[in-house]
Each structure stands twice: as C-alpha cells, then as structure tokens.
Amino acid sequence: MLLCIDCGNTNTVFSIWDGEAFLSTWRMETNHKRTADEYYVWLTGLMRLQGIDAAIREVIISSTVPRVVFNLRVLCNRYFDCRPVVVGKPECALPVAPRVDEGTVVGPDRLVNAVAGFDRHGGDLIVVDFGTATTFDVVDTDGAYIGGVIAPGVNLSLEALHQAAAALPNVDVTKPEHAIGTNTVACIQSGVFWGYIGLVEGIVRQIRLERDRPMRVVATGGLAELFSQGFDLFDSIEYDLTMHGLRLLNDFNKGRPA
C-alpha cells in the first residue's frame, strides 16, 4: 500500500491508498519535534482501529515545512523499509517542469495541486487552495505550473486581527446574514467573508485578463465550501485534490533511477 503524506504549516494529513481507492485519511497538528516513533504509534493505532492491516510499501511526502521531513524519512526507513519520494527534491520528477523565474522554489503543495488539477480538468486552470495561506496556482495548457498568487489565509487573517487589536475578539469564520454588522463579531465576520469573496473574484478576474482565455477554477481546502455558498466562484470543489496529485506523482516516479 501507498502512504501519502501532505505536511502543511498547520496540519499534516496522512492517507492510505490500496491501489484502487483511499482507505482512510487522518490529520494531526504539524510539529517538527514529533519523532518517527510517535508518528508510527499514532498511525498504526489508527490503522488498527479501522481494520487496515496490509503493510505500507511506498511513501510519498509533500511538505511546506522542511524541518519535519527528516523524521518522516526516518519513519519510512525504520518502520516501512522504504525510501520515500519527496516532492520538490531532485529525485522526484514532474510530468512537466514548472515555468517560473530562474532560482524560484515552488511550494511542493502547489506542484502537487497543479498535477492533480491538470489530470482531472486539463490545462488553462486556476487552483485555489484555502490553507494557512490562500494560494492561486495557474496551470498552462500542457500541465505546467506557471506561477500564481499567495495571499494570507482566512484563519491567519483573523488571528492577526485579534492579536493586533486588543479590543477585537477572535471569531469563527462563517457567512453572515447581512453585510452590515450590528455587533463586533458580526462586523468581523462580514469583513472576512466578503473580503475574501472579493479577493477571490478579483484575483481570478485579473488572471483571466492576463491569460486572455477562458480559465476553469477549482477550489480545495477546508474553507472552499464556505466561500462557494450562493456564488459562482468555482467550477469544482475537490477536497482530495492534493492526495490525488501525490498518488499520481508516486506512480509517475516508479521505476525511475534514485
């Protein structure tokens, strides 16, 4: 079986692929101090609870937090007797090389989403990922990642507002009933919700103008559904997009020289 690991700034997601389907997906808080032994006990405990007893033979990792990769490599070597494929490293080939400024390091999660989006929707695509940062990734007609946009994430913006303004509370993200808030919480929720609706609409519009062609828009991430309520922002919402891309990249790299 294949273990796909997507390590983000906030959470790390583990998913098991049996060759036909993802059997289960779990997440934990990202912590670079977590040891390989801790990962193994946590993961195998969850696998037993769900009756997953087949051995893990392959692992692929995408990580935006470089410090966690070492212990994930140890996990693979010590407990799964395999060398993981790590997206963004020279040993992990991409179907089509990114076309960005020389010397630019593209986030592994963005490369994975580009591969997955192209596989499902073809080129001329914008992938909007609502994570710790809100990213917009542009995929060319041949599947190449050609750049994008990085904006502060929704929860990050709320946290910064709360920390910088002592009188303002920390609130949950939700769609407000009205744009005009009649209390502090409602005002903050309206600002965040409608602010990000405007951000998505404006950035997508500008990308389409610069590309001068129709562009499909795919959203992923936990808050994608919230910002699609009653709006025609996205052609599709796909929560498994990153895991799908990891599986594709693992297949693409099988049998290649290490």
Side-chain angles (χ1 to χ4, degrees), residues 175-224:
K175 180 182 178 181
E177 293 185 13
H178 307 285
I180 302 173
T182 54
N183 57 69
T184 302
V185 170
C187 288
I188 295 172
Q189 289 174 333
S190 181
V192 170
F193 181 83
W194 293 109
Y196 272 84
I197 290 291
L199 181 143
V200 173
E201 289 179 329
I203 290 176
V204 167
R205 179 171 61 249
Q206 189 61 33
I207 290 173
R208 283 172 168 159
L209 284 172
E210 291 183 11
R211 294 286 291 162
D212 192 24
R213 67 187 69 186
M215 303 282 292
R216 291 177 61 83
V217 182
V218 175
T220 190
L223 292 174

mmCIF file of all heavy atoms in Angstrom, residues 175-224:
data_model
loop_
_atom_site.group_PDB
_atom_site.id
_atom_site.type_symbol
_atom_site.label_atom_id
_atom_site.label_comp_id
_atom_site.label_asym_id
_atom_site.label_seq_id
_atom_site.Cartn_x
_atom_site.Cartn_y
_atom_site.Cartn_z
ATOM 1 N N LYS A 175 -20.561 32.611 7.051
ATOM 2 C CA LYS A 175 -21.220 33.548 6.143
ATOM 3 C C LYS A 175 -22.237 34.362 6.934
ATOM 4 O O LYS A 175 -23.189 33.803 7.480
ATOM 5 C CB LYS A 175 -21.927 32.800 5.010
ATOM 6 C CG LYS A 175 -22.629 33.730 4.019
ATOM 7 C CD LYS A 175 -23.356 32.941 2.943
ATOM 8 C CE LYS A 175 -24.082 33.887 1.984
ATOM 9 N NZ LYS A 175 -24.825 33.149 0.938
ATOM 10 N N PRO A 176 -22.067 35.673 7.022
ATOM 11 C CA PRO A 176 -23.008 36.486 7.806
ATOM 12 C C PRO A 176 -24.333 36.658 7.069
ATOM 13 O O PRO A 176 -24.395 36.570 5.845
ATOM 14 C CB PRO A 176 -22.276 37.819 7.943
ATOM 15 C CG PRO A 176 -21.396 37.894 6.737
ATOM 16 C CD PRO A 176 -20.993 36.478 6.426
ATOM 17 N N GLU A 177 -25.372 36.899 7.839
ATOM 18 C CA GLU A 177 -26.694 37.109 7.232
ATOM 19 C C GLU A 177 -26.754 38.428 6.471
ATOM 20 O O GLU A 177 -27.465 38.549 5.473
ATOM 21 C CB GLU A 177 -27.781 37.084 8.315
ATOM 22 C CG GLU A 177 -27.969 35.718 8.973
ATOM 23 C CD GLU A 177 -29.133 35.720 9.936
ATOM 24 O OE1 GLU A 177 -29.933 36.690 9.909
ATOM 25 O OE2 GLU A 177 -29.260 34.751 10.698
ATOM 26 N N HIS A 178 -26.010 39.423 6.955
ATOM 27 C CA HIS A 178 -26.024 40.743 6.322
ATOM 28 C C HIS A 178 -24.592 41.271 6.219
ATOM 29 O O HIS A 178 -23.741 40.938 7.046
ATOM 30 C CB HIS A 178 -26.864 41.731 7.131
ATOM 31 C CG HIS A 178 -28.254 41.249 7.417
ATOM 32 N ND1 HIS A 178 -29.248 41.223 6.471
ATOM 33 C CD2 HIS A 178 -28.800 40.750 8.567
ATOM 34 C CE1 HIS A 178 -30.349 40.747 7.011
ATOM 35 N NE2 HIS A 178 -30.107 40.443 8.271
ATOM 36 N N ALA A 179 -24.362 42.105 5.224
ATOM 37 C CA ALA A 179 -23.044 42.716 5.084
ATOM 38 C C ALA A 179 -22.797 43.738 6.188
ATOM 39 O O ALA A 179 -21.669 43.878 6.672
ATOM 40 C CB ALA A 179 -22.911 43.374 3.717
ATOM 41 N N ILE A 180 -23.835 44.432 6.608
ATOM 42 C CA ILE A 180 -23.699 45.436 7.662
ATOM 43 C C ILE A 180 -23.865 44.756 9.006
ATOM 44 O O ILE A 180 -24.949 44.317 9.378
ATOM 45 C CB ILE A 180 -24.750 46.558 7.505
ATOM 46 C CG1 ILE A 180 -24.603 47.233 6.133
ATOM 47 C CG2 ILE A 180 -24.599 47.581 8.622
ATOM 48 C CD1 ILE A 180 -25.696 48.237 5.828
ATOM 49 N N GLY A 181 -22.759 44.638 9.733
ATOM 50 C CA GLY A 181 -22.821 44.018 11.044
ATOM 51 C C GLY A 181 -23.355 44.973 12.093
ATOM 52 O O GLY A 181 -23.070 46.165 12.067
ATOM 53 N N THR A 182 -24.141 44.451 13.041
ATOM 54 C CA THR A 182 -24.723 45.282 14.102
ATOM 55 C C THR A 182 -24.081 44.998 15.462
ATOM 56 O O THR A 182 -24.550 45.481 16.492
ATOM 57 C CB THR A 182 -26.243 45.059 14.188
ATOM 58 O OG1 THR A 182 -26.507 43.657 14.341
ATOM 59 C CG2 THR A 182 -26.930 45.579 12.931
ATOM 60 N N ASN A 183 -23.012 44.186 15.450
ATOM 61 C CA ASN A 183 -22.213 43.979 16.656
ATOM 62 C C ASN A 183 -20.792 43.663 16.204
ATOM 63 O O ASN A 183 -20.542 43.439 15.011
ATOM 64 C CB ASN A 183 -22.791 42.872 17.538
ATOM 65 C CG ASN A 183 -22.923 41.559 16.793
ATOM 66 O OD1 ASN A 183 -21.915 40.929 16.455
ATOM 67 N ND2 ASN A 183 -24.160 41.149 16.512
ATOM 68 N N THR A 184 -19.858 43.643 17.135
ATOM 69 C CA THR A 184 -18.447 43.499 16.768
ATOM 70 C C THR A 184 -18.169 42.188 16.055
ATOM 71 O O THR A 184 -17.462 42.156 15.033
ATOM 72 C CB THR A 184 -17.556 43.612 18.022
ATOM 73 O OG1 THR A 184 -17.805 44.875 18.643
ATOM 74 C CG2 THR A 184 -16.088 43.508 17.655
ATOM 75 N N VAL A 185 -18.700 41.089 16.578
ATOM 76 C CA VAL A 185 -18.466 39.783 15.957
ATOM 77 C C VAL A 185 -19.000 39.758 14.534
ATOM 78 O O VAL A 185 -18.325 39.303 13.598
ATOM 79 C CB VAL A 185 -19.099 38.661 16.801
ATOM 80 C CG1 VAL A 185 -19.079 37.335 16.040
ATOM 81 C CG2 VAL A 185 -18.376 38.513 18.125
ATOM 82 N N ALA A 186 -20.214 40.245 14.344
ATOM 83 C CA ALA A 186 -20.820 40.260 13.010
ATOM 84 C C ALA A 186 -20.031 41.141 12.053
ATOM 85 O O ALA A 186 -19.888 40.818 10.860
ATOM 86 C CB ALA A 186 -22.270 40.732 13.091
ATOM 87 N N CYS A 187 -19.495 42.251 12.558
ATOM 88 C CA CYS A 187 -18.697 43.134 11.706
ATOM 89 C C CYS A 187 -17.430 42.434 11.226
ATOM 90 O O CYS A 187 -17.041 42.540 10.048
ATOM 91 C CB CYS A 187 -18.321 44.405 12.469
ATOM 92 S SG CYS A 187 -19.689 45.553 12.751
ATOM 93 N N ILE A 188 -16.762 41.705 12.141
ATOM 94 C CA ILE A 188 -15.545 41.000 11.765
ATOM 95 C C ILE A 188 -15.862 39.884 10.778
ATOM 96 O O ILE A 188 -15.165 39.715 9.759
ATOM 97 C CB ILE A 188 -14.846 40.424 13.011
ATOM 98 C CG1 ILE A 188 -14.374 41.549 13.924
ATOM 99 C CG2 ILE A 188 -13.670 39.541 12.611
ATOM 100 C CD1 ILE A 188 -13.843 41.084 15.263
ATOM 101 N N GLN A 189 -16.912 39.117 11.050
ATOM 102 C CA GLN A 189 -17.283 38.021 10.152
ATOM 103 C C GLN A 189 -17.638 38.535 8.764
ATOM 104 O O GLN A 189 -17.269 37.933 7.752
ATOM 105 C CB GLN A 189 -18.448 37.238 10.744
ATOM 106 C CG GLN A 189 -18.064 36.420 11.959
ATOM 107 C CD GLN A 189 -19.247 35.765 12.634
ATOM 108 O OE1 GLN A 189 -20.378 36.255 12.545
ATOM 109 N NE2 GLN A 189 -18.997 34.657 13.316
ATOM 110 N N SER A 190 -18.313 39.668 8.703
ATOM 111 C CA SER A 190 -18.666 40.255 7.417
ATOM 112 C C SER A 190 -17.419 40.714 6.677
ATOM 113 O O SER A 190 -17.270 40.471 5.467
ATOM 114 C CB SER A 190 -19.609 41.438 7.622
ATOM 115 O OG SER A 190 -19.971 42.011 6.378
ATOM 116 N N GLY A 191 -16.508 41.357 7.398
ATOM 117 C CA GLY A 191 -15.290 41.828 6.750
ATOM 118 C C GLY A 191 -14.467 40.696 6.176
ATOM 119 O O GLY A 191 -13.951 40.785 5.055
ATOM 120 N N VAL A 192 -14.336 39.608 6.942
ATOM 121 C CA VAL A 192 -13.545 38.480 6.473
ATOM 122 C C VAL A 192 -14.243 37.769 5.325
ATOM 123 O O VAL A 192 -13.646 37.506 4.275
ATOM 124 C CB VAL A 192 -13.264 37.492 7.634
ATOM 125 C CG1 VAL A 192 -12.655 36.204 7.103
ATOM 126 C CG2 VAL A 192 -12.336 38.135 8.644
ATOM 127 N N PHE A 193 -15.529 37.461 5.499
ATOM 128 C CA PHE A 193 -16.232 36.706 4.464
ATOM 129 C C PHE A 193 -16.304 37.480 3.157
ATOM 130 O O PHE A 193 -15.866 36.992 2.104
ATOM 131 C CB PHE A 193 -17.640 36.335 4.930
ATOM 132 C CG PHE A 193 -18.408 35.531 3.917
ATOM 133 C CD1 PHE A 193 -18.230 34.163 3.820
ATOM 134 C CD2 PHE A 193 -19.291 36.138 3.030
ATOM 135 C CE1 PHE A 193 -18.919 33.413 2.878
ATOM 136 C CE2 PHE A 193 -19.988 35.400 2.087
ATOM 137 C CZ PHE A 193 -19.802 34.040 2.013
ATOM 138 N N TRP A 194 -16.836 38.691 3.200
ATOM 139 C CA TRP A 194 -16.998 39.455 1.959
ATOM 140 C C TRP A 194 -15.655 39.927 1.423
ATOM 141 O O TRP A 194 -15.471 40.065 0.206
ATOM 142 C CB TRP A 194 -17.949 40.637 2.184
ATOM 143 C CG TRP A 194 -19.342 40.194 2.451
ATOM 144 C CD1 TRP A 194 -20.020 40.259 3.626
ATOM 145 C CD2 TRP A 194 -20.218 39.569 1.515
ATOM 146 N NE1 TRP A 194 -21.270 39.708 3.494
ATOM 147 C CE2 TRP A 194 -21.425 39.284 2.205
ATOM 148 C CE3 TRP A 194 -20.112 39.215 0.171
ATOM 149 C CZ2 TRP A 194 -22.502 38.666 1.596
ATOM 150 C CZ3 TRP A 194 -21.197 38.598 -0.438
ATOM 151 C CH2 TRP A 194 -22.375 38.329 0.260
ATOM 152 N N GLY A 195 -14.703 40.138 2.326
ATOM 153 C CA GLY A 195 -13.370 40.499 1.875
ATOM 154 C C GLY A 195 -12.734 39.394 1.046
ATOM 155 O O GLY A 195 -12.112 39.658 0.007
ATOM 156 N N TYR A 196 -12.897 38.134 1.487
ATOM 157 C CA TYR A 196 -12.301 37.035 0.741
ATOM 158 C C TYR A 196 -13.095 36.683 -0.511
ATOM 159 O O TYR A 196 -12.515 36.216 -1.494
ATOM 160 C CB TYR A 196 -12.117 35.804 1.642
ATOM 161 C CG TYR A 196 -10.798 35.857 2.358
ATOM 162 C CD1 TYR A 196 -10.661 36.565 3.549
ATOM 163 C CD2 TYR A 196 -9.664 35.270 1.819
ATOM 164 C CE1 TYR A 196 -9.442 36.667 4.187
ATOM 165 C CE2 TYR A 196 -8.436 35.363 2.448
ATOM 166 C CZ TYR A 196 -8.329 36.063 3.627
ATOM 167 O OH TYR A 196 -7.115 36.165 4.251
ATOM 168 N N ILE A 197 -14.401 36.914 -0.493
ATOM 169 C CA ILE A 197 -15.165 36.767 -1.739
ATOM 170 C C ILE A 197 -14.619 37.742 -2.775
ATOM 171 O O ILE A 197 -14.364 37.380 -3.938
ATOM 172 C CB ILE A 197 -16.665 37.034 -1.496
ATOM 173 C CG1 ILE A 197 -17.287 35.917 -0.669
ATOM 174 C CG2 ILE A 197 -17.408 37.201 -2.824
ATOM 175 C CD1 ILE A 197 -17.392 34.581 -1.374
ATOM 176 N N GLY A 198 -14.418 38.991 -2.371
ATOM 177 C CA GLY A 198 -13.870 39.988 -3.284
ATOM 178 C C GLY A 198 -12.454 39.655 -3.718
ATOM 179 O O GLY A 198 -12.084 39.859 -4.881
ATOM 180 N N LEU A 199 -11.646 39.114 -2.787
ATOM 181 C CA LEU A 199 -10.280 38.742 -3.121
ATOM 182 C C LEU A 199 -10.259 37.662 -4.192
ATOM 183 O O LEU A 199 -9.516 37.759 -5.182
ATOM 184 C CB LEU A 199 -9.565 38.271 -1.858
ATOM 185 C CG LEU A 199 -8.100 37.844 -1.988
ATOM 186 C CD1 LEU A 199 -7.324 38.267 -0.749
ATOM 187 C CD2 LEU A 199 -7.970 36.330 -2.163
ATOM 188 N N VAL A 200 -11.055 36.616 -4.004
ATOM 189 C CA VAL A 200 -11.086 35.516 -4.978
ATOM 190 C C VAL A 200 -11.588 36.022 -6.327
ATOM 191 O O VAL A 200 -10.992 35.744 -7.379
ATOM 192 C CB VAL A 200 -11.955 34.353 -4.473
ATOM 193 C CG1 VAL A 200 -12.130 33.292 -5.564
ATOM 194 C CG2 VAL A 200 -11.322 33.715 -3.237
ATOM 195 N N GLU A 201 -12.698 36.749 -6.324
ATOM 196 C CA GLU A 201 -13.246 37.257 -7.575
ATOM 197 C C GLU A 201 -12.248 38.154 -8.302
ATOM 198 O O GLU A 201 -12.059 38.034 -9.522
ATOM 199 C CB GLU A 201 -14.540 38.035 -7.310
ATOM 200 C CG GLU A 201 -15.722 37.159 -6.913
ATOM 201 C CD GLU A 201 -16.968 37.987 -6.640
ATOM 202 O OE1 GLU A 201 -16.837 39.150 -6.181
ATOM 203 O OE2 GLU A 201 -18.070 37.469 -6.866
ATOM 204 N N GLY A 202 -11.604 39.037 -7.555
ATOM 205 C CA GLY A 202 -10.688 39.988 -8.174
ATOM 206 C C GLY A 202 -9.441 39.325 -8.739
ATOM 207 O O GLY A 202 -9.012 39.636 -9.857
ATOM 208 N N ILE A 203 -8.859 38.395 -7.998
ATOM 209 C CA ILE A 203 -7.647 37.737 -8.476
ATOM 210 C C ILE A 203 -7.945 36.840 -9.670
ATOM 211 O O ILE A 203 -7.191 36.827 -10.652
ATOM 212 C CB ILE A 203 -6.983 36.951 -7.331
ATOM 213 C CG1 ILE A 203 -6.393 37.928 -6.312
ATOM 214 C CG2 ILE A 203 -5.898 36.015 -7.865
ATOM 215 C CD1 ILE A 203 -5.784 37.275 -5.088
ATOM 216 N N VAL A 204 -9.046 36.089 -9.594
ATOM 217 C CA VAL A 204 -9.402 35.228 -10.726
ATOM 218 C C VAL A 204 -9.670 36.069 -11.965
ATOM 219 O O VAL A 204 -9.232 35.730 -13.075
ATOM 220 C CB VAL A 204 -10.629 34.364 -10.375
ATOM 221 C CG1 VAL A 204 -11.202 33.698 -11.635
ATOM 222 C CG2 VAL A 204 -10.249 33.289 -9.350
ATOM 223 N N ARG A 205 -10.361 37.181 -11.793
ATOM 224 C CA ARG A 205 -10.645 38.061 -12.939
ATOM 225 C C ARG A 205 -9.357 38.584 -13.568
ATOM 226 O O ARG A 205 -9.203 38.601 -14.794
ATOM 227 C CB ARG A 205 -11.532 39.218 -12.494
ATOM 228 C CG ARG A 205 -11.871 40.206 -13.604
ATOM 229 C CD ARG A 205 -12.928 41.201 -13.174
ATOM 230 N NE ARG A 205 -12.480 41.995 -12.046
ATOM 231 C CZ ARG A 205 -12.988 41.906 -10.815
ATOM 232 N NH1 ARG A 205 -13.949 41.039 -10.560
ATOM 233 N NH2 ARG A 205 -12.523 42.676 -9.857
ATOM 234 N N GLN A 206 -8.392 38.987 -12.726
ATOM 235 C CA GLN A 206 -7.148 39.531 -13.246
ATOM 236 C C GLN A 206 -6.317 38.464 -13.953
ATOM 237 O O GLN A 206 -5.700 38.724 -14.988
ATOM 238 C CB GLN A 206 -6.336 40.154 -12.102
ATOM 239 C CG GLN A 206 -5.128 40.930 -12.571
ATOM 240 C CD GLN A 206 -5.495 42.101 -13.473
ATOM 241 O OE1 GLN A 206 -6.556 42.719 -13.297
ATOM 242 N NE2 GLN A 206 -4.646 42.410 -14.441
ATOM 243 N N ILE A 207 -6.292 37.243 -13.391
ATOM 244 C CA ILE A 207 -5.562 36.147 -14.048
ATOM 245 C C ILE A 207 -6.163 35.863 -15.425
ATOM 246 O O ILE A 207 -5.439 35.673 -16.409
ATOM 247 C CB ILE A 207 -5.587 34.873 -13.174
ATOM 248 C CG1 ILE A 207 -4.719 35.072 -11.924
ATOM 249 C CG2 ILE A 207 -5.096 33.659 -13.965
ATOM 250 C CD1 ILE A 207 -4.822 33.933 -10.923
ATOM 251 N N ARG A 208 -7.488 35.850 -15.503
ATOM 252 C CA ARG A 208 -8.140 35.601 -16.792
ATOM 253 C C ARG A 208 -7.819 36.704 -17.797
ATOM 254 O O ARG A 208 -7.625 36.436 -18.985
ATOM 255 C CB ARG A 208 -9.655 35.482 -16.587
ATOM 256 C CG ARG A 208 -10.081 34.143 -15.994
ATOM 257 C CD ARG A 208 -11.544 34.126 -15.633
ATOM 258 N NE ARG A 208 -12.008 32.769 -15.342
ATOM 259 C CZ ARG A 208 -13.081 32.471 -14.629
ATOM 260 N NH1 ARG A 208 -13.826 33.470 -14.123
ATOM 261 N NH2 ARG A 208 -13.428 31.224 -14.420
ATOM 262 N N LEU A 209 -7.753 37.953 -17.318
ATOM 263 C CA LEU A 209 -7.409 39.049 -18.214
ATOM 264 C C LEU A 209 -5.982 38.889 -18.740
ATOM 265 O O LEU A 209 -5.718 39.099 -19.931
ATOM 266 C CB LEU A 209 -7.544 40.386 -17.476
ATOM 267 C CG LEU A 209 -8.955 40.921 -17.257
ATOM 268 C CD1 LEU A 209 -8.941 42.136 -16.344
ATOM 269 C CD2 LEU A 209 -9.605 41.267 -18.601
ATOM 270 N N GLU A 210 -5.051 38.518 -17.861
ATOM 271 C CA GLU A 210 -3.662 38.370 -18.286
ATOM 272 C C GLU A 210 -3.471 37.172 -19.208
ATOM 273 O O GLU A 210 -2.642 37.208 -20.122
ATOM 274 C CB GLU A 210 -2.766 38.234 -17.044
ATOM 275 C CG GLU A 210 -2.670 39.514 -16.241
ATOM 276 C CD GLU A 210 -1.731 39.394 -15.054
ATOM 277 O OE1 GLU A 210 -0.990 38.384 -14.971
ATOM 278 O OE2 GLU A 210 -1.724 40.314 -14.210
ATOM 279 N N ARG A 211 -4.217 36.109 -18.970
ATOM 280 C CA ARG A 211 -4.118 34.920 -19.809
ATOM 281 C C ARG A 211 -4.898 35.089 -21.109
ATOM 282 O O ARG A 211 -4.628 34.415 -22.102
ATOM 283 C CB ARG A 211 -4.634 33.694 -19.052
ATOM 284 C CG ARG A 211 -3.799 33.309 -17.846
ATOM 285 C CD ARG A 211 -2.493 32.667 -18.265
ATOM 286 N NE ARG A 211 -2.711 31.357 -18.868
ATOM 287 C CZ ARG A 211 -1.827 30.709 -19.623
ATOM 288 N NH1 ARG A 211 -0.665 31.267 -19.897
ATOM 289 N NH2 ARG A 211 -2.104 29.522 -20.113
ATOM 290 N N ASP A 212 -5.900 35.953 -21.087
ATOM 291 C CA ASP A 212 -6.706 36.262 -22.272
ATOM 292 C C ASP A 212 -7.322 34.996 -22.882
ATOM 293 O O ASP A 212 -7.242 34.766 -24.084
ATOM 294 C CB ASP A 212 -5.862 36.991 -23.324
ATOM 295 C CG ASP A 212 -6.725 37.596 -24.431
ATOM 296 O OD1 ASP A 212 -7.917 37.851 -24.175
ATOM 297 O OD2 ASP A 212 -6.209 37.790 -25.548
ATOM 298 N N ARG A 213 -7.913 34.187 -22.017
ATOM 299 C CA ARG A 213 -8.573 32.955 -22.463
ATOM 300 C C ARG A 213 -9.466 32.457 -21.326
ATOM 301 O O ARG A 213 -9.290 32.845 -20.173
ATOM 302 C CB ARG A 213 -7.531 31.902 -22.827
ATOM 303 C CG ARG A 213 -6.714 31.395 -21.637
ATOM 304 C CD ARG A 213 -5.597 30.482 -22.063
ATOM 305 N NE ARG A 213 -4.563 31.224 -22.782
ATOM 306 C CZ ARG A 213 -3.528 30.645 -23.374
ATOM 307 N NH1 ARG A 213 -3.407 29.332 -23.363
ATOM 308 N NH2 ARG A 213 -2.617 31.369 -23.989
ATOM 309 N N PRO A 214 -10.405 31.579 -21.626
ATOM 310 C CA PRO A 214 -11.220 31.003 -20.547
ATOM 311 C C PRO A 214 -10.339 30.184 -19.605
ATOM 312 O O PRO A 214 -9.426 29.484 -20.043
ATOM 313 C CB PRO A 214 -12.217 30.109 -21.282
ATOM 314 C CG PRO A 214 -12.233 30.621 -22.693
ATOM 315 C CD PRO A 214 -10.854 31.123 -22.960
ATOM 316 N N MET A 215 -10.616 30.279 -18.324
ATOM 317 C CA MET A 215 -9.869 29.532 -17.312
ATOM 318 C C MET A 215 -10.859 28.894 -16.343
ATOM 319 O O MET A 215 -11.698 29.586 -15.757
ATOM 320 C CB MET A 215 -8.926 30.461 -16.527
ATOM 321 C CG MET A 215 -7.928 31.224 -17.355
ATOM 322 S SD MET A 215 -6.519 30.229 -17.880
ATOM 323 C CE MET A 215 -5.676 29.936 -16.331
ATOM 324 N N ARG A 216 -10.758 27.570 -16.181
ATOM 325 C CA ARG A 216 -11.562 26.905 -15.172
ATOM 326 C C ARG A 216 -10.956 27.172 -13.794
ATOM 327 O O ARG A 216 -9.745 27.374 -13.667
ATOM 328 C CB ARG A 216 -11.624 25.398 -15.421
ATOM 329 C CG ARG A 216 -12.420 25.020 -16.660
ATOM 330 C CD ARG A 216 -12.394 23.511 -16.906
ATOM 331 N NE ARG A 216 -12.969 22.769 -15.802
ATOM 332 C CZ ARG A 216 -14.279 22.562 -15.643
ATOM 333 N NH1 ARG A 216 -15.144 23.057 -16.526
ATOM 334 N NH2 ARG A 216 -14.743 21.864 -14.626
ATOM 335 N N VAL A 217 -11.816 27.163 -12.776
ATOM 336 C CA VAL A 217 -11.357 27.427 -11.412
ATOM 337 C C VAL A 217 -11.769 26.267 -10.509
ATOM 338 O O VAL A 217 -12.954 25.935 -10.422
ATOM 339 C CB VAL A 217 -11.936 28.747 -10.853
ATOM 340 C CG1 VAL A 217 -11.390 29.016 -9.453
ATOM 341 C CG2 VAL A 217 -11.627 29.909 -11.781
ATOM 342 N N VAL A 218 -10.781 25.651 -9.877
ATOM 343 C CA VAL A 218 -11.013 24.541 -8.958
ATOM 344 C C VAL A 218 -10.567 24.971 -7.571
ATOM 345 O O VAL A 218 -9.497 25.561 -7.410
ATOM 346 C CB VAL A 218 -10.233 23.281 -9.399
ATOM 347 C CG1 VAL A 218 -10.379 22.165 -8.372
ATOM 348 C CG2 VAL A 218 -10.713 22.812 -10.759
ATOM 349 N N ALA A 219 -11.371 24.672 -6.559
ATOM 350 C CA ALA A 219 -11.043 25.035 -5.184
ATOM 351 C C ALA A 219 -10.795 23.794 -4.353
ATOM 352 O O ALA A 219 -11.401 22.734 -4.569
ATOM 353 C CB ALA A 219 -12.173 25.853 -4.567
ATOM 354 N N THR A 220 -9.892 23.926 -3.394
ATOM 355 C CA THR A 220 -9.626 22.850 -2.451
ATOM 356 C C THR A 220 -9.319 23.481 -1.096
ATOM 357 O O THR A 220 -9.104 24.681 -0.988
ATOM 358 C CB THR A 220 -8.476 21.943 -2.938
ATOM 359 O OG1 THR A 220 -8.385 20.778 -2.113
ATOM 360 C CG2 THR A 220 -7.152 22.680 -2.927
ATOM 361 N N GLY A 221 -9.290 22.660 -0.054
ATOM 362 C CA GLY A 221 -9.058 23.180 1.289
ATOM 363 C C GLY A 221 -10.348 23.243 2.085
ATOM 364 O O GLY A 221 -11.453 23.283 1.529
ATOM 365 N N GLY A 222 -10.203 23.276 3.398
ATOM 366 C CA GLY A 222 -11.357 23.148 4.284
ATOM 367 C C GLY A 222 -12.402 24.244 4.160
ATOM 368 O O GLY A 222 -13.578 24.013 4.433
ATOM 369 N N LEU A 223 -12.012 25.451 3.762
ATOM 370 C CA LEU A 223 -12.960 26.565 3.696
ATOM 371 C C LEU A 223 -13.512 26.801 2.299
ATOM 372 O O LEU A 223 -14.255 27.756 2.091
ATOM 373 C CB LEU A 223 -12.289 27.847 4.212
ATOM 374 C CG LEU A 223 -11.951 27.866 5.709
ATOM 375 C CD1 LEU A 223 -11.174 29.118 6.062
ATOM 376 C CD2 LEU A 223 -13.225 27.777 6.552
ATOM 377 N N ALA A 224 -13.174 25.927 1.364
ATOM 378 C CA ALA A 224 -13.628 26.129 -0.016
ATOM 379 C C ALA A 224 -15.152 26.150 -0.108
ATOM 380 O O ALA A 224 -15.744 26.992 -0.802
ATOM 381 C CB ALA A 224 -13.058 25.032 -0.915
#
